[in-house]
Amino acid sequence: KKQKFPDGTIVEKEFDAGVFRGEVKFYKAPYYRVVYSDGDQEDMTERQVKYHRVLVRAARVKNEMKIEAAQSTPSKAPEPKDIGKDEMKVEGLTTTPPPTLPSASSSNTVI
């Protein structure tokens, strides 16, 4: 069977001691030899390598997004514009409030 995953393919696998990163060192059908960062080794089938491989492109994009977020400065809200006391600004519109009506108790109406 032909080698599907090239030497150097990165895998991650969870063990009792934690998650370890490994690298495919060679292929001898039907097994891939994986050497982990702590020096341990194991043979994996193609299916296992596919399951445990680290998708480098996805990981790189995710990492770049984290870097961009950390480097970007929060956008500063624009300073409010001065408006007259008889004007209100609502969602980009400047309007004049309606006149206030006198209350019934302050009416000068004579009965």
Side-chain angles (χ1 to χ4, degrees):
K1 191 172 182 177
K2 186 177 175 187
Q3 181 176 356
K4 183 174 180 179
F5 299 103
D7 294 354
T9 298
I10 304 297
V11 298
E12 283 185 348
K13 186 172 176 184
E14 186 171 355
F15 296 93
D16 292 337
V19 176
F20 289 88
R21 185 168 279 221
E23 180 180 339
V24 171
K25 292 298 184 179
F26 64 86
Y27 175 73
K28 184 174 179 184
Y31 297 105
Y32 293 84
R33 172 60 52 95
V34 175
V35 179
Y36 291 96
S37 55
D38 66 352
D40 284 349
Q41 304 177 34
E42 83 171 304
D43 291 332
M44 286 187 168
T45 63
E46 182 178 296
R47 187 174 183 175
Q48 289 172 312
V49 172
K50 183 177 182 178
Y51 180 80
H52 291 289
R53 74 182 165 165
V54 175
L55 299 176
V56 177
R57 178 167 159 52
R60 186 180 310 128
V61 169
K62 187 176 179 181
N63 190 37
E64 287 171 2
M65 289 172 53
K66 284 182 185 177
I67 291 169
E68 280 181 21
Q71 291 176 347
S72 69
T73 55
S75 60
K76 187 176 178 183
E79 294 294 324
K81 294 181 180 178
D82 289 334
I83 56 176
K85 68 176 186 171
D86 293 334
E87 295 179 336
M88 295 186 307
K89 188 163 185 158
V90 179
E91 294 185 30
L93 301 174
T94 303
T95 60
T96 304
T100 50
L101 300 174
S103 66
S105 63
S106 67
S107 157
N108 291 334
T109 307
V110 178
I111 300 182

